[in-house]
Amino acid sequence: MTVSVRSNAKINIGLNIIEKLPNGYHSLDMIMVPISLSDELEIKFHQKKGNLSISSNIKDIPTDERNILWKIYDAFYKFTGKEPEEIEVYLHKIIPHEAGLGGGSSNGAFFLKELNRYYNNLLCDGELIEIGKSVGADIPFFIKNYPCRVRGIGEKLEKIENNLECDIVLVKPDFGVSTKEAYTQYSKIKDKKNADIDKIAEGLKNNELEKVEKFSENILEQGLLLSNENIISFRKELKRKYKNRFFMSGSGSCYYTFLPKGTGKEYAEVLKTKLSNCQIYSCSFL
């Protein structure tokens, strides 16, 4: 029994940090929206007892217990008490790594949902979220996979409307940003600029791009702009060369910009001729 699943990315539109929690995590307030850029998971269930094996088109992706798919597999069987079965997963990666697009979390969430479906939907969404948040903070969002205002450490999800009619162009430079670095730097910001999440949600609901852009801020980017020379240099280049506003997604390093519907592909092709050492994608909201 083999199933193929598209595992999509997300962007953050506005990101505030409310506080650092005693357990070391951070309480957040942000908007996350699914986008069409996707990886593909090919999952083969052998329907007999055994273990998980992982392979990928990307050579440097770990395929052992460090992989988020392995962690999900382990957490699912521990939670349900069922005996692990032999499963093969081939992961075809498109979503860039260390980009703030949630690629790994998406892979984990969609694998978890397929495991649950294999067992005739043994668990409800609340239980899947419980498993997911034990593995990665963004996994609960991908369990739902619709536009959300996200609070807490990522587990408090409030569905919102997104009627914004536009294309999205992603620009991922040839360097990544570790989530740990992004969260370490934000505490050093002297003049924090918080996103107005309420106003962004209104803009998304009412198709008001100007409002969405006006009130979008990313506190993690502000911290990285204090010390990360790669981000500082790349941000300056985008601002110097282009009139469009670019926004960092999550903890970076990917930036995105909004384009009128139907113009994203053409704009992406133009960027490819002007920005070297970048992965550039045109995509849409889901």
Side-chain angles (χ1 to χ4, degrees):
M1 175 183 170
T2 302
V3 295
S4 293
V5 184
R6 292 181 68 83
S7 167
N8 60 273
K10 58 83 179 172
I11 57 171
N12 290 79
I13 308 178
L15 189 157
N16 295 332
I17 295 176
I18 307 304
E19 62 177 338
K20 186 173 182 178
L21 302 172
N23 61 5
Y25 284 93
H26 295 80
S27 179
L28 306 172
D29 188 11
M30 57 189 175
I31 285 176
M32 295 170 68
V33 185
I35 59 174
S36 60
L37 184 70
S38 301
D39 295 334
E40 187 166 330
L41 295 170
E42 187 174 282
I43 307 166
K44 187 173 184 179
F45 296 93
H46 287 271
Q47 299 179 298
K48 62 180 181 180
K49 295 177 180 61
N51 296 302
L52 176 67
S53 61
I54 303 168
S55 58
S56 176
N57 63 314
I58 305 297
K59 292 181 180 178
D60 59 357
I61 286 181
T63 56
D64 55 15
E65 62 274 2
R66 294 171 293 169
N67 192 292
I68 199 164
L69 299 176
W70 194 287
K71 294 174 183 177
I72 285 290
Y73 176 90
D74 189 51
F76 175 83
Y77 281 107
K78 283 181 179 176
F79 188 92
T80 60
K82 289 189 169 292
E83 191 163 357
E85 292 198 13
E86 183 179 344
I87 301 173
E88 290 180 59
V89 180
Y90 175 73
L91 173 59
H92 185 81
K93 287 296 291 182
I94 300 292
I95 302 169
H97 180 58
E98 288 192 337
L101 299 174
S105 294
S106 175
N107 299 157
F110 278 89
F111 181 45
L112 177 57
K113 287 189 279 189
E114 288 304 318
L115 280 171
N116 192 44
R117 191 172 286 115
Y118 175 70
Y119 287 98
N120 298 310
N121 296 312
L122 177 67
L123 306 176
C124 66
D125 277 4
E127 291 169 313
L128 294 177
I129 286 172
E130 196 65 28
I131 294 171
K133 75 177 185 180
S134 72
V135 175
D138 286 346
I139 292 178
F141 167 77
F142 286 107
I143 297 294
K144 295 295 188 181
N145 204 39
Y146 48 59
C148 286
R149 183 169 185 167
V150 182
R151 295 182 174 95
I153 62 170
E155 84 286 8
K156 297 176 182 176
L157 304 170
E158 175 190 344
K159 188 176 183 178
I160 63 171
E161 283 187 55
N162 176 24
N163 298 310
L164 206 59
E165 295 179 1
C166 64
D167 291 344
I168 306 153
V169 170
L170 308 172
V171 182
K172 167 63 172 66
D174 63 352
F175 58 85
V177 173
S178 76
T179 303
K180 182 179 179 181
E181 178 190 0
Y183 278 96
T184 299
Q185 291 300 317
Y186 97 93
S187 60
K188 300 175 184 178
I189 305 168
K190 292 182 180 178
D191 298 311
K192 295 184 176 71
K193 295 179 181 177
N194 283 325
D196 190 326
I197 304 297
D198 290 324
K199 290 286 199 321
I200 296 170
E202 287 175 14
L204 292 171
K205 180 178 180 179
N206 299 321
N207 189 25
E208 297 175 304
L209 179 57
E210 186 178 345
K211 182 179 282 189
V212 171
E213 292 188 331
K214 179 179 179 181
F215 293 104
S216 289
E217 298 287 349
N218 183 336
I219 199 72
L220 294 178
E221 181 194 24
Q222 292 170 40
L224 290 167
L225 286 171
L226 294 177
S227 61
N228 187 301
E229 293 300 329
N230 285 329
I231 290 293
I232 292 168
S233 175
F234 189 63
R235 194 74 177 89
K236 284 180 179 177
E237 182 180 8
L238 291 176
K239 194 169 184 178
R240 185 177 69 252
K241 289 183 177 180
Y242 305 104
K243 293 179 180 179
N244 288 56
R245 285 196 64 188
F246 283 84
F247 303 89
M248 178 183 280
S249 182
S251 58
S253 61
C254 187
Y255 280 82
Y256 63 87
T257 188
F258 297 113
L259 277 301
K261 199 75 176 171
T263 66
K265 287 184 179 180
E266 183 180 352
Y267 189 79
E269 290 305 314
V270 171
L271 288 186
K272 287 176 184 178
T273 66
K274 295 183 177 182
L275 286 172
S276 58
N277 302 318
C278 288
Q279 298 174 62
I280 298 170
Y281 307 90
S282 174
C283 57
S284 59
F285 293 118
L286 291 180

